[in-house]
Amino acid sequence: MYSMRVKSVMERGKRLVAPPGTTVAKAARLMAKKNVGAVMVVEEKRLVGIFTERDIVVRVIAEGRDAATTHIGEVMTANPFTVEPNEIFGRALLLMHDNGFRHVPVVENGEPVGIVSSRSALDPEMEEFVAETQRRLSLR
Ligand code: AMP
């Protein structure tokens, strides 16, 4: 798993991009619809930041900002750490471990082509198990 290439682990379907002028409320709706925890913030197709559910809690709600009027460009993390598709997935895991975040955008020529997350490290069966457990808990 750790020595696999990023491109074979990354979740292309979980690629969610939006411009900095997107409101936090809209970004949250897109995240919910796509069932992802991070938005890659792009300007003219190039990655300029990352905005995650953690930022919604810490930088928006805890700070008393209004999700309807705050733009993700104001509360994102600019210039995030990234990996390239041909790198080893273990490098992405190390970045997450060393820096305390759970997402790493996958970038090719400056453009985001996918994303890996700490959940990508779970093998597919385990991931399915976690998703199913969460689904059942949300139905309670
Ligand atoms: P997360 O654990 O991924 O939800 O993110 C925790 C914090 O780290 C948030 O403030 C994110 O904006 C930031 N963050 C997430 N991924 C990255 C990354 N690849 N590079 C830099 N910061 C990040």
Side-chain angles (χ1 to χ4, degrees), residues 60-100:
V60 180
I61 297 174
E63 293 283 321
R65 295 185 202 240
D66 182 355
T69 54
T70 303
H71 297 126
I72 58 176
E74 302 165 47
V75 282
M76 68 182 188
T77 300
N79 304 316
F81 289 91
T82 60
V83 287
E84 295 192 358
N86 274 324
E87 287 190 79
I88 301 302
F89 179 57
R91 186 168 119 71
L93 280 176
L94 265 182
L95 281 175
M96 291 189 258
H97 178 262
D98 289 351
N99 297 289

Side-chain angles (χ1 to χ4, degrees), residues 2 4 7 30 40 50-51 67 71 73-74 80 85 91-94 96-97 112 115 119 122 140:
Y2 307 110
M4 283 168 77
K7 64 182 169 201
L30 294 171
M40 294 185 283
I50 187 164
F51 176 69
H71 297 126
E74 302 165 47
R91 186 168 119 71
L93 280 176
L94 265 182
M96 291 189 258
H97 178 262
I115 192 159
R119 282 186 66 194
L122 299 174
R140 276 191 189 163

Side-chain angles (χ1 to χ4, degrees), residues 37 50-55 59 75-82 100-105:
I50 187 164
F51 176 69
T52 74
E53 51 202 10
R54 184 92 191 126
D55 296 319
R59 296 181 182 164
V75 282
M76 68 182 188
T77 300
N79 304 316
F81 289 91
T82 60
F101 46 69
R102 294 162 296 177
H103 299 88
V104 185

Side-chain angles (χ1 to χ4, degrees), residues 3-73:
S3 56
M4 283 168 77
R5 304 256 171 215
V6 163
K7 64 182 169 201
S8 57
V9 177
M10 79 182 183
E11 298 157 275
R12 286 175 199 275
K14 302 222 155 174
R15 177 185 172 279
L16 175 57
V17 297
T22 310
T23 63
V24 168
K26 177 159 186 213
R29 283 196 295 275
L30 294 171
M31 288 156 96
K33 199 166 163 200
K34 231 177 160 65
N35 193 26
V36 299
V39 180
M40 294 185 283
V41 186
V42 290
E43 233 165 5
E44 285 164 9
K45 291 193 181 167
R46 303 191 77 80
L47 183 75
V48 295
I50 187 164
F51 176 69
T52 74
E53 51 202 10
R54 184 92 191 126
D55 296 319
I56 296 181
V57 173
V58 173
R59 296 181 182 164
V60 180
I61 297 174
E63 293 283 321
R65 295 185 202 240
D66 182 355
T69 54
T70 303
H71 297 126
I72 58 176

